[in-house]
Amino acid sequence: MKYDVVVIGGGASGFFTAINCAVLNPDLRILILEQSSKVLQKVRISGGGRCNVTHAEFIPNELTKNYPRGQKELKGPFHHFMTGDVMEWFEDRGVPLKIEEDGRVFPVSNTSESIIDCFLSEIEKYKIEVKIRQAVKSFEFKGDHWQIDSKTDQFIAQKLVVATGSQSQMWEHFKELGLNVIAPVPSLFTFNCKSETIKDLPGVVVNASVSIRSTKLKSEGPVLITHWGFSGPAILKLSAWGARDLEQLNYRFTLAINWTKHFSQEEVLETLQEYKTSKSLVTNTPSFQLPKRMWKRLVEVSLQGSTKRWCDLNKKDWNLLIKNITQSEYEIEGKSTFKDEFVTAGGVDLKEMNFKTYESKKLPNCYVVGECLNIDAITGGFNFQNAWTGGFLAAKAITS
């Protein structure tokens, strides 16, 4: 079976590439191959089922700062297709979007089905073929075309797009074809911690600054205490930027947290001095906008109970309380996947790619997009933005 374009991968980047190829040249015969029985599954579960389409950052150089891997390479592509273009693309196809307070962009409908329905409608409109249960075993460039072999069929394509995400089999095959592939490690994950200090505090959120001892890794933002340890934007940023360092540490390290975010020990002491002669219980005086449960626990841990008054504190009490507010330390013993949105650091080496076209430098007429590349981002719609940008520029190159 012969096609102008064969896309391996029935996810967001694969569909977006195929649809834009058809939009730019409706005469192309295009095929999408998906190994599972369903397409667009990651789109369906993303953003808690709402699909975080992109992030409302409209300056290319600022947008790239959200990519631990790919920051330099994405500057050029983002100048040609980025957030505003994506929003216009979906809204032109009947999917109105909204920007939430934190900058995340979602369909107004609050359901990922709006995005999926849009894609499926475009697939039908342009008569793009989709074949499910097609596990690709190999692909090889022969003369002037690509031969793609699945477990059951063989396909011929003038242009090949690989959009399989974090799929080890595809990476192994790329190695066989001579491409360098960076070994994958988890990127977005939460931290497991059994500290008694946070044992009964699941659900508490604190705007804090966090760092990892013996490394240069640091972050800030909301920290969420969970039943298993720590999560929230600040933790996920640490996990993304420190993906390889933390893997080297076998996910066992000391996490330091300043629960006030920016206050130093001296500033905390100065602020709390006004209570020095107070007869009030320390636990009854939450400070630094800390949640009452968090404040009470920090006090209990520092003062070995909750019955001490401010006026009864000695120098040791003061020092320990201030230290626990600004430099709490927690032993991390492993990680957990962040929801169902598994992201890896690793994939096809970015030096192998032409980022004007997303074509491989070594493999003619072979385009690689999405998370199959060694590009990943923090949470907030940035990974999807990478998929849309790569898909559009690849389609533009394929049809030019």
Side-chain angles (χ1 to χ4, degrees), residues 60-93:
N61 286 358
E62 292 300 313
L63 184 60
T64 62
K65 293 178 181 178
N66 297 285
Y67 296 83
R69 284 144 293 273
Q71 182 173 354
K72 180 180 71 174
E73 290 80 5
L74 287 171
K75 285 184 180 180
F78 282 162
H79 275 89
H80 294 283
F81 190 86
M82 58 172 289
T83 310
D85 304 298
V86 169
M87 295 180 71
E88 183 179 11
W89 194 95
F90 281 106
E91 290 178 348
D92 284 349
R93 288 162 176 78

PDB file of all heavy atoms in Angstrom, residues 60-93:
ATOM      1  N   PRO A  60       8.407  34.046  22.514  1.00  0.00           N
ATOM      2  CA  PRO A  60       9.141  32.805  22.262  1.00  0.00           C
ATOM      3  C   PRO A  60      10.274  32.522  23.238  1.00  0.00           C
ATOM      4  O   PRO A  60      10.387  31.404  23.763  1.00  0.00           O
ATOM      5  CB  PRO A  60       9.666  32.994  20.833  1.00  0.00           C
ATOM      6  CG  PRO A  60       8.659  33.894  20.192  1.00  0.00           C
ATOM      7  CD  PRO A  60       8.236  34.837  21.279  1.00  0.00           C
ATOM      8  N   ASN A  61      11.125  33.512  23.498  1.00  0.00           N
ATOM      9  CA  ASN A  61      12.267  33.278  24.383  1.00  0.00           C
ATOM     10  C   ASN A  61      11.843  32.965  25.813  1.00  0.00           C
ATOM     11  O   ASN A  61      12.533  32.241  26.532  1.00  0.00           O
ATOM     12  CB  ASN A  61      13.214  34.476  24.363  1.00  0.00           C
ATOM     13  CG  ASN A  61      14.016  34.557  23.074  1.00  0.00           C
ATOM     14  OD1 ASN A  61      13.888  33.695  22.201  1.00  0.00           O
ATOM     15  ND2 ASN A  61      14.841  35.579  22.942  1.00  0.00           N
ATOM     16  N   GLU A  62      10.711  33.529  26.237  1.00  0.00           N
ATOM     17  CA  GLU A  62      10.199  33.228  27.572  1.00  0.00           C
ATOM     18  C   GLU A  62       9.572  31.842  27.599  1.00  0.00           C
ATOM     19  O   GLU A  62       9.709  31.105  28.574  1.00  0.00           O
ATOM     20  CB  GLU A  62       9.167  34.285  27.997  1.00  0.00           C
ATOM     21  CG  GLU A  62       9.761  35.661  28.245  1.00  0.00           C
ATOM     22  CD  GLU A  62      10.815  35.651  29.342  1.00  0.00           C
ATOM     23  OE1 GLU A  62      10.555  35.064  30.415  1.00  0.00           O
ATOM     24  OE2 GLU A  62      11.905  36.212  29.126  1.00  0.00           O
ATOM     25  N   LEU A  63       8.899  31.472  26.529  1.00  0.00           N
ATOM     26  CA  LEU A  63       8.269  30.161  26.440  1.00  0.00           C
ATOM     27  C   LEU A  63       9.308  29.049  26.543  1.00  0.00           C
ATOM     28  O   LEU A  63       9.094  28.032  27.210  1.00  0.00           O
ATOM     29  CB  LEU A  63       7.489  30.041  25.130  1.00  0.00           C
ATOM     30  CG  LEU A  63       6.691  28.749  24.914  1.00  0.00           C
ATOM     31  CD1 LEU A  63       5.642  28.551  25.999  1.00  0.00           C
ATOM     32  CD2 LEU A  63       6.031  28.761  23.532  1.00  0.00           C
ATOM     33  N   THR A  64      10.467  29.238  25.906  1.00  0.00           N
ATOM     34  CA  THR A  64      11.487  28.186  25.905  1.00  0.00           C
ATOM     35  C   THR A  64      12.047  27.904  27.297  1.00  0.00           C
ATOM     36  O   THR A  64      12.597  26.820  27.534  1.00  0.00           O
ATOM     37  CB  THR A  64      12.673  28.556  24.985  1.00  0.00           C
ATOM     38  OG1 THR A  64      13.309  29.745  25.470  1.00  0.00           O
ATOM     39  CG2 THR A  64      12.212  28.762  23.555  1.00  0.00           C
ATOM     40  N   LYS A  65      11.905  28.840  28.215  1.00  0.00           N
ATOM     41  CA  LYS A  65      12.453  28.659  29.557  1.00  0.00           C
ATOM     42  C   LYS A  65      11.744  27.563  30.342  1.00  0.00           C
ATOM     43  O   LYS A  65      12.179  27.196  31.438  1.00  0.00           O
ATOM     44  CB  LYS A  65      12.404  29.976  30.336  1.00  0.00           C
ATOM     45  CG  LYS A  65      13.342  31.045  29.770  1.00  0.00           C
ATOM     46  CD  LYS A  65      13.232  32.350  30.538  1.00  0.00           C
ATOM     47  CE  LYS A  65      14.151  33.410  29.948  1.00  0.00           C
ATOM     48  NZ  LYS A  65      14.029  34.708  30.656  1.00  0.00           N
ATOM     49  N   ASN A  66      10.664  27.053  29.795  1.00  0.00           N
ATOM     50  CA  ASN A  66       9.911  25.995  30.467  1.00  0.00           C
ATOM     51  C   ASN A  66      10.312  24.600  29.996  1.00  0.00           C
ATOM     52  O   ASN A  66       9.661  23.616  30.327  1.00  0.00           O
ATOM     53  CB  ASN A  66       8.414  26.211  30.238  1.00  0.00           C
ATOM     54  CG  ASN A  66       7.930  27.507  30.845  1.00  0.00           C
ATOM     55  OD1 ASN A  66       7.773  27.623  32.054  1.00  0.00           O
ATOM     56  ND2 ASN A  66       7.706  28.511  30.008  1.00  0.00           N
ATOM     57  N   TYR A  67      11.399  24.530  29.233  1.00  0.00           N
ATOM     58  CA  TYR A  67      11.859  23.260  28.673  1.00  0.00           C
ATOM     59  C   TYR A  67      13.258  22.925  29.185  1.00  0.00           C
ATOM     60  O   TYR A  67      14.248  23.488  28.708  1.00  0.00           O
ATOM     61  CB  TYR A  67      11.860  23.329  27.134  1.00  0.00           C
ATOM     62  CG  TYR A  67      10.478  23.515  26.559  1.00  0.00           C
ATOM     63  CD1 TYR A  67       9.905  24.784  26.479  1.00  0.00           C
ATOM     64  CD2 TYR A  67       9.733  22.427  26.124  1.00  0.00           C
ATOM     65  CE1 TYR A  67       8.619  24.969  25.984  1.00  0.00           C
ATOM     66  CE2 TYR A  67       8.450  22.591  25.615  1.00  0.00           C
ATOM     67  CZ  TYR A  67       7.906  23.862  25.554  1.00  0.00           C
ATOM     68  OH  TYR A  67       6.626  24.031  25.064  1.00  0.00           O
ATOM     69  N   PRO A  68      13.362  22.013  30.144  1.00  0.00           N
ATOM     70  CA  PRO A  68      14.688  21.610  30.629  1.00  0.00           C
ATOM     71  C   PRO A  68      15.568  21.065  29.513  1.00  0.00           C
ATOM     72  O   PRO A  68      16.762  21.273  29.489  1.00  0.00           O
ATOM     73  CB  PRO A  68      14.370  20.507  31.654  1.00  0.00           C
ATOM     74  CG  PRO A  68      12.985  20.806  32.106  1.00  0.00           C
ATOM     75  CD  PRO A  68      12.286  21.352  30.900  1.00  0.00           C
ATOM     76  N   ARG A  69      14.956  20.342  28.584  1.00  0.00           N
ATOM     77  CA  ARG A  69      15.663  19.855  27.407  1.00  0.00           C
ATOM     78  C   ARG A  69      14.928  20.351  26.168  1.00  0.00           C
ATOM     79  O   ARG A  69      13.742  20.101  25.998  1.00  0.00           O
ATOM     80  CB  ARG A  69      15.741  18.325  27.421  1.00  0.00           C
ATOM     81  CG  ARG A  69      16.792  17.797  28.401  1.00  0.00           C
ATOM     82  CD  ARG A  69      16.389  16.528  29.085  1.00  0.00           C
ATOM     83  NE  ARG A  69      15.267  16.703  29.992  1.00  0.00           N
ATOM     84  CZ  ARG A  69      15.379  17.068  31.276  1.00  0.00           C
ATOM     85  NH1 ARG A  69      16.567  17.304  31.796  1.00  0.00           N
ATOM     86  NH2 ARG A  69      14.302  17.200  32.032  1.00  0.00           N
ATOM     87  N   GLY A  70      15.660  21.096  25.310  1.00  0.00           N
ATOM     88  CA  GLY A  70      15.064  21.666  24.109  1.00  0.00           C
ATOM     89  C   GLY A  70      14.967  23.174  24.131  1.00  0.00           C
ATOM     90  O   GLY A  70      14.510  23.781  23.166  1.00  0.00           O
ATOM     91  N   GLN A  71      15.402  23.795  25.216  1.00  0.00           N
ATOM     92  CA  GLN A  71      15.269  25.245  25.360  1.00  0.00           C
ATOM     93  C   GLN A  71      15.921  26.000  24.198  1.00  0.00           C
ATOM     94  O   GLN A  71      15.302  26.865  23.588  1.00  0.00           O
ATOM     95  CB  GLN A  71      15.878  25.689  26.688  1.00  0.00           C
ATOM     96  CG  GLN A  71      15.745  27.191  26.934  1.00  0.00           C
ATOM     97  CD  GLN A  71      16.204  27.582  28.342  1.00  0.00           C
ATOM     98  OE1 GLN A  71      16.510  26.742  29.156  1.00  0.00           O
ATOM     99  NE2 GLN A  71      16.255  28.869  28.609  1.00  0.00           N
ATOM    100  N   LYS A  72      17.152  25.653  23.876  1.00  0.00           N
ATOM    101  CA  LYS A  72      17.873  26.350  22.806  1.00  0.00           C
ATOM    102  C   LYS A  72      17.272  26.024  21.436  1.00  0.00           C
ATOM    103  O   LYS A  72      17.066  26.912  20.602  1.00  0.00           O
ATOM    104  CB  LYS A  72      19.351  25.945  22.833  1.00  0.00           C
ATOM    105  CG  LYS A  72      20.201  26.618  21.764  1.00  0.00           C
ATOM    106  CD  LYS A  72      21.656  26.181  21.848  1.00  0.00           C
ATOM    107  CE  LYS A  72      21.815  24.740  21.386  1.00  0.00           C
ATOM    108  NZ  LYS A  72      23.241  24.329  21.316  1.00  0.00           N
ATOM    109  N   GLU A  73      16.966  24.748  21.209  1.00  0.00           N
ATOM    110  CA  GLU A  73      16.492  24.310  19.898  1.00  0.00           C
ATOM    111  C   GLU A  73      15.109  24.848  19.550  1.00  0.00           C
ATOM    112  O   GLU A  73      14.784  25.018  18.372  1.00  0.00           O
ATOM    113  CB  GLU A  73      16.470  22.783  19.841  1.00  0.00           C
ATOM    114  CG  GLU A  73      17.847  22.144  19.811  1.00  0.00           C
ATOM    115  CD  GLU A  73      18.508  22.067  21.187  1.00  0.00           C
ATOM    116  OE1 GLU A  73      17.847  22.423  22.186  1.00  0.00           O
ATOM    117  OE2 GLU A  73      19.682  21.659  21.267  1.00  0.00           O
ATOM    118  N   LEU A  74      14.278  25.118  20.546  1.00  0.00           N
ATOM    119  CA  LEU A  74      12.899  25.542  20.282  1.00  0.00           C
ATOM    120  C   LEU A  74      12.753  27.037  20.006  1.00  0.00           C
ATOM    121  O   LEU A  74      11.675  27.477  19.597  1.00  0.00           O
ATOM    122  CB  LEU A  74      11.998  25.147  21.456  1.00  0.00           C
ATOM    123  CG  LEU A  74      11.692  23.642  21.575  1.00  0.00           C
ATOM    124  CD1 LEU A  74      10.971  23.350  22.884  1.00  0.00           C
ATOM    125  CD2 LEU A  74      10.861  23.163  20.392  1.00  0.00           C
ATOM    126  N   LYS A  75      13.798  27.807  20.223  1.00  0.00           N
ATOM    127  CA  LYS A  75      13.686  29.256  20.007  1.00  0.00           C
ATOM    128  C   LYS A  75      13.274  29.576  18.574  1.00  0.00           C
ATOM    129  O   LYS A  75      12.374  30.387  18.337  1.00  0.00           O
ATOM    130  CB  LYS A  75      15.008  29.947  20.353  1.00  0.00           C
ATOM    131  CG  LYS A  75      15.258  30.070  21.844  1.00  0.00           C
ATOM    132  CD  LYS A  75      16.535  30.839  22.144  1.00  0.00           C
ATOM    133  CE  LYS A  75      16.746  30.949  23.651  1.00  0.00           C
ATOM    134  NZ  LYS A  75      17.979  31.695  23.985  1.00  0.00           N
ATOM    135  N   GLY A  76      13.936  28.955  17.608  1.00  0.00           N
ATOM    136  CA  GLY A  76      13.599  29.191  16.206  1.00  0.00           C
ATOM    137  C   GLY A  76      12.193  28.740  15.862  1.00  0.00           C
ATOM    138  O   GLY A  76      11.380  29.528  15.345  1.00  0.00           O
ATOM    139  N   PRO A  77      11.848  27.480  16.146  1.00  0.00           N
ATOM    140  CA  PRO A  77      10.501  27.001  15.854  1.00  0.00           C
ATOM    141  C   PRO A  77       9.394  27.849  16.481  1.00  0.00           C
ATOM    142  O   PRO A  77       8.371  28.111  15.849  1.00  0.00           O
ATOM    143  CB  PRO A  77      10.506  25.583  16.437  1.00  0.00           C
ATOM    144  CG  PRO A  77      11.922  25.140  16.287  1.00  0.00           C
ATOM    145  CD  PRO A  77      12.738  26.371  16.565  1.00  0.00           C
ATOM    146  N   PHE A  78       9.598  28.292  17.721  1.00  0.00           N
ATOM    147  CA  PHE A  78       8.558  29.078  18.385  1.00  0.00           C
ATOM    148  C   PHE A  78       8.355  30.443  17.725  1.00  0.00           C
ATOM    149  O   PHE A  78       7.298  31.063  17.886  1.00  0.00           O
ATOM    150  CB  PHE A  78       8.883  29.251  19.868  1.00  0.00           C
ATOM    151  CG  PHE A  78       8.569  28.033  20.710  1.00  0.00           C
ATOM    152  CD1 PHE A  78       9.126  27.879  21.970  1.00  0.00           C
ATOM    153  CD2 PHE A  78       7.718  27.051  20.250  1.00  0.00           C
ATOM    154  CE1 PHE A  78       8.843  26.773  22.749  1.00  0.00           C
ATOM    155  CE2 PHE A  78       7.420  25.926  21.017  1.00  0.00           C
ATOM    156  CZ  PHE A  78       7.988  25.797  22.272  1.00  0.00           C
ATOM    157  N   HIS A  79       9.341  30.929  17.015  1.00  0.00           N
ATOM    158  CA  HIS A  79       9.157  32.190  16.290  1.00  0.00           C
ATOM    159  C   HIS A  79       8.287  32.008  15.049  1.00  0.00           C
ATOM    160  O   HIS A  79       7.810  32.979  14.467  1.00  0.00           O
ATOM    161  CB  HIS A  79      10.519  32.783  15.887  1.00  0.00           C
ATOM    162  CG  HIS A  79      11.164  33.605  16.965  1.00  0.00           C
ATOM    163  ND1 HIS A  79      11.997  33.068  17.919  1.00  0.00           N
ATOM    164  CD2 HIS A  79      11.076  34.928  17.253  1.00  0.00           C
ATOM    165  CE1 HIS A  79      12.395  34.031  18.751  1.00  0.00           C
ATOM    166  NE2 HIS A  79      11.859  35.167  18.362  1.00  0.00           N
ATOM    167  N   HIS A  80       8.068  30.755  14.660  1.00  0.00           N
ATOM    168  CA  HIS A  80       7.274  30.471  13.461  1.00  0.00           C
ATOM    169  C   HIS A  80       5.896  29.899  13.768  1.00  0.00           C
ATOM    170  O   HIS A  80       4.965  30.049  12.970  1.00  0.00           O
ATOM    171  CB  HIS A  80       8.037  29.502  12.557  1.00  0.00           C
ATOM    172  CG  HIS A  80       9.286  30.096  11.988  1.00  0.00           C
ATOM    173  ND1 HIS A  80       9.280  30.990  10.938  1.00  0.00           N
ATOM    174  CD2 HIS A  80      10.598  29.935  12.343  1.00  0.00           C
ATOM    175  CE1 HIS A  80      10.516  31.356  10.656  1.00  0.00           C
ATOM    176  NE2 HIS A  80      11.341  30.735  11.492  1.00  0.00           N
ATOM    177  N   PHE A  81       5.768  29.226  14.932  1.00  0.00           N
ATOM    178  CA  PHE A  81       4.454  28.666  15.289  1.00  0.00           C
ATOM    179  C   PHE A  81       4.445  28.402  16.781  1.00  0.00           C
ATOM    180  O   PHE A  81       5.177  27.554  17.274  1.00  0.00           O
ATOM    181  CB  PHE A  81       4.194  27.373  14.517  1.00  0.00           C
ATOM    182  CG  PHE A  81       2.776  26.861  14.628  1.00  0.00           C
ATOM    183  CD1 PHE A  81       1.798  27.327  13.756  1.00  0.00           C
ATOM    184  CD2 PHE A  81       2.422  25.936  15.587  1.00  0.00           C
ATOM    185  CE1 PHE A  81       0.493  26.872  13.848  1.00  0.00           C
ATOM    186  CE2 PHE A  81       1.116  25.470  15.695  1.00  0.00           C
ATOM    187  CZ  PHE A  81       0.150  25.940  14.805  1.00  0.00           C
ATOM    188  N   MET A  82       3.636  29.172  17.498  1.00  0.00           N
ATOM    189  CA  MET A  82       3.593  28.975  18.944  1.00  0.00           C
ATOM    190  C   MET A  82       2.201  29.222  19.509  1.00  0.00           C
ATOM    191  O   MET A  82       1.197  28.965  18.832  1.00  0.00           O
ATOM    192  CB  MET A  82       4.653  29.814  19.656  1.00  0.00           C
ATOM    193  CG  MET A  82       4.589  31.308  19.441  1.00  0.00           C
ATOM    194  SD  MET A  82       5.765  32.169  20.519  1.00  0.00           S
ATOM    195  CE  MET A  82       5.008  31.957  22.132  1.00  0.00           C
ATOM    196  N   THR A  83       2.122  29.726  20.718  1.00  0.00           N
ATOM    197  CA  THR A  83       0.876  29.750  21.481  1.00  0.00           C
ATOM    198  C   THR A  83      -0.293  30.395  20.739  1.00  0.00           C
ATOM    199  O   THR A  83      -1.368  29.805  20.627  1.00  0.00           O
ATOM    200  CB  THR A  83       1.102  30.493  22.820  1.00  0.00           C
ATOM    201  OG1 THR A  83       2.259  29.955  23.448  1.00  0.00           O
ATOM    202  CG2 THR A  83      -0.103  30.349  23.716  1.00  0.00           C
ATOM    203  N   GLY A  84      -0.095  31.617  20.268  1.00  0.00           N
ATOM    204  CA  GLY A  84      -1.192  32.309  19.589  1.00  0.00           C
ATOM    205  C   GLY A  84      -1.651  31.574  18.344  1.00  0.00           C
ATOM    206  O   GLY A  84      -2.856  31.525  18.042  1.00  0.00           O
ATOM    207  N   ASP A  85      -0.708  30.973  17.624  1.00  0.00           N
ATOM    208  CA  ASP A  85      -1.056  30.219  16.418  1.00  0.00           C
ATOM    209  C   ASP A  85      -1.880  28.983  16.763  1.00  0.00           C
ATOM    210  O   ASP A  85      -2.832  28.640  16.064  1.00  0.00           O
ATOM    211  CB  ASP A  85       0.220  29.794  15.687  1.00  0.00           C
ATOM    212  CG  ASP A  85       1.111  30.974  15.350  1.00  0.00           C
ATOM    213  OD1 ASP A  85       0.667  31.838  14.585  1.00  0.00           O
ATOM    214  OD2 ASP A  85       2.243  31.028  15.860  1.00  0.00           O
ATOM    215  N   VAL A  86      -1.506  28.315  17.845  1.00  0.00           N
ATOM    216  CA  VAL A  86      -2.238  27.128  18.287  1.00  0.00           C
ATOM    217  C   VAL A  86      -3.669  27.488  18.680  1.00  0.00           C
ATOM    218  O   VAL A  86      -4.640  26.817  18.288  1.00  0.00           O
ATOM    219  CB  VAL A  86      -1.528  26.457  19.482  1.00  0.00           C
ATOM    220  CG1 VAL A  86      -2.408  25.386  20.108  1.00  0.00           C
ATOM    221  CG2 VAL A  86      -0.210  25.854  19.033  1.00  0.00           C
ATOM    222  N   MET A  87      -3.803  28.566  19.446  1.00  0.00           N
ATOM    223  CA  MET A  87      -5.138  28.977  19.885  1.00  0.00           C
ATOM    224  C   MET A  87      -6.013  29.334  18.687  1.00  0.00           C
ATOM    225  O   MET A  87      -7.195  28.959  18.622  1.00  0.00           O
ATOM    226  CB  MET A  87      -5.027  30.147  20.866  1.00  0.00           C
ATOM    227  CG  MET A  87      -4.318  29.762  22.173  1.00  0.00           C
ATOM    228  SD  MET A  87      -4.170  31.123  23.365  1.00  0.00           S
ATOM    229  CE  MET A  87      -5.894  31.269  23.883  1.00  0.00           C
ATOM    230  N   GLU A  88      -5.429  30.036  17.729  1.00  0.00           N
ATOM    231  CA  GLU A  88      -6.175  30.393  16.521  1.00  0.00           C
ATOM    232  C   GLU A  88      -6.554  29.133  15.726  1.00  0.00           C
ATOM    233  O   GLU A  88      -7.670  29.035  15.201  1.00  0.00           O
ATOM    234  CB  GLU A  88      -5.336  31.318  15.643  1.00  0.00           C
ATOM    235  CG  GLU A  88      -6.054  31.794  14.389  1.00  0.00           C
ATOM    236  CD  GLU A  88      -5.196  32.724  13.546  1.00  0.00           C
ATOM    237  OE1 GLU A  88      -3.981  32.829  13.818  1.00  0.00           O
ATOM    238  OE2 GLU A  88      -5.739  33.338  12.612  1.00  0.00           O
ATOM    239  N   TRP A  89      -5.646  28.167  15.661  1.00  0.00           N
ATOM    240  CA  TRP A  89      -5.884  26.928  14.915  1.00  0.00           C
ATOM    241  C   TRP A  89      -7.120  26.208  15.436  1.00  0.00           C
ATOM    242  O   TRP A  89      -7.984  25.794  14.668  1.00  0.00           O
ATOM    243  CB  TRP A  89      -4.649  26.033  15.032  1.00  0.00           C
ATOM    244  CG  TRP A  89      -4.601  24.875  14.053  1.00  0.00           C
ATOM    245  CD1 TRP A  89      -3.976  24.855  12.848  1.00  0.00           C
ATOM    246  CD2 TRP A  89      -5.180  23.577  14.232  1.00  0.00           C
ATOM    247  NE1 TRP A  89      -4.136  23.614  12.255  1.00  0.00           N
ATOM    248  CE2 TRP A  89      -4.871  22.813  13.077  1.00  0.00           C
ATOM    249  CE3 TRP A  89      -5.943  22.983  15.241  1.00  0.00           C
ATOM    250  CZ2 TRP A  89      -5.288  21.489  12.907  1.00  0.00           C
ATOM    251  CZ3 TRP A  89      -6.367  21.664  15.072  1.00  0.00           C
ATOM    252  CH2 TRP A  89      -6.042  20.932  13.921  1.00  0.00           C
ATOM    253  N   PHE A  90      -7.192  26.051  16.757  1.00  0.00           N
ATOM    254  CA  PHE A  90      -8.334  25.340  17.339  1.00  0.00           C
ATOM    255  C   PHE A  90      -9.620  26.150  17.255  1.00  0.00           C
ATOM    256  O   PHE A  90     -10.698  25.610  16.952  1.00  0.00           O
ATOM    257  CB  PHE A  90      -8.038  24.954  18.790  1.00  0.00           C
ATOM    258  CG  PHE A  90      -7.162  23.737  18.915  1.00  0.00           C
ATOM    259  CD1 PHE A  90      -5.836  23.862  19.294  1.00  0.00           C
ATOM    260  CD2 PHE A  90      -7.656  22.482  18.629  1.00  0.00           C
ATOM    261  CE1 PHE A  90      -5.017  22.744  19.385  1.00  0.00           C
ATOM    262  CE2 PHE A  90      -6.846  21.346  18.722  1.00  0.00           C
ATOM    263  CZ  PHE A  90      -5.524  21.483  19.109  1.00  0.00           C
ATOM    264  N   GLU A  91      -9.521  27.452  17.510  1.00  0.00           N
ATOM    265  CA  GLU A  91     -10.735  28.274  17.485  1.00  0.00           C
ATOM    266  C   GLU A  91     -11.305  28.394  16.075  1.00  0.00           C
ATOM    267  O   GLU A  91     -12.525  28.454  15.898  1.00  0.00           O
ATOM    268  CB  GLU A  91     -10.429  29.641  18.107  1.00  0.00           C
ATOM    269  CG  GLU A  91     -10.209  29.515  19.618  1.00  0.00           C
ATOM    270  CD  GLU A  91      -9.851  30.824  20.303  1.00  0.00           C
ATOM    271  OE1 GLU A  91      -9.538  31.802  19.586  1.00  0.00           O
ATOM    272  OE2 GLU A  91      -9.882  30.854  21.546  1.00  0.00           O
ATOM    273  N   ASP A  92     -10.432  28.386  15.063  1.00  0.00           N
ATOM    274  CA  ASP A  92     -10.914  28.392  13.674  1.00  0.00           C
ATOM    275  C   ASP A  92     -11.674  27.119  13.339  1.00  0.00           C
ATOM    276  O   ASP A  92     -12.452  27.083  12.383  1.00  0.00           O
ATOM    277  CB  ASP A  92      -9.732  28.533  12.702  1.00  0.00           C
ATOM    278  CG  ASP A  92      -9.197  29.955  12.642  1.00  0.00           C
ATOM    279  OD1 ASP A  92      -9.866  30.863  13.178  1.00  0.00           O
ATOM    280  OD2 ASP A  92      -8.108  30.154  12.065  1.00  0.00           O
ATOM    281  N   ARG A  93     -11.458  26.078  14.126  1.00  0.00           N
ATOM    282  CA  ARG A  93     -12.120  24.802  13.881  1.00  0.00           C
ATOM    283  C   ARG A  93     -13.218  24.525  14.894  1.00  0.00           C
ATOM    284  O   ARG A  93     -13.600  23.371  15.129  1.00  0.00           O
ATOM    285  CB  ARG A  93     -11.073  23.679  13.864  1.00  0.00           C
ATOM    286  CG  ARG A  93     -10.203  23.733  12.606  1.00  0.00           C
ATOM    287  CD  ARG A  93      -8.910  22.951  12.737  1.00  0.00           C
ATOM    288  NE  ARG A  93      -8.174  22.984  11.463  1.00  0.00           N
ATOM    289  CZ  ARG A  93      -7.455  24.011  11.035  1.00  0.00           C
ATOM    290  NH1 ARG A  93      -7.369  25.114  11.798  1.00  0.00           N
ATOM    291  NH2 ARG A  93      -6.836  23.972   9.863  1.00  0.00           N
TER     292      ARG A  93
END
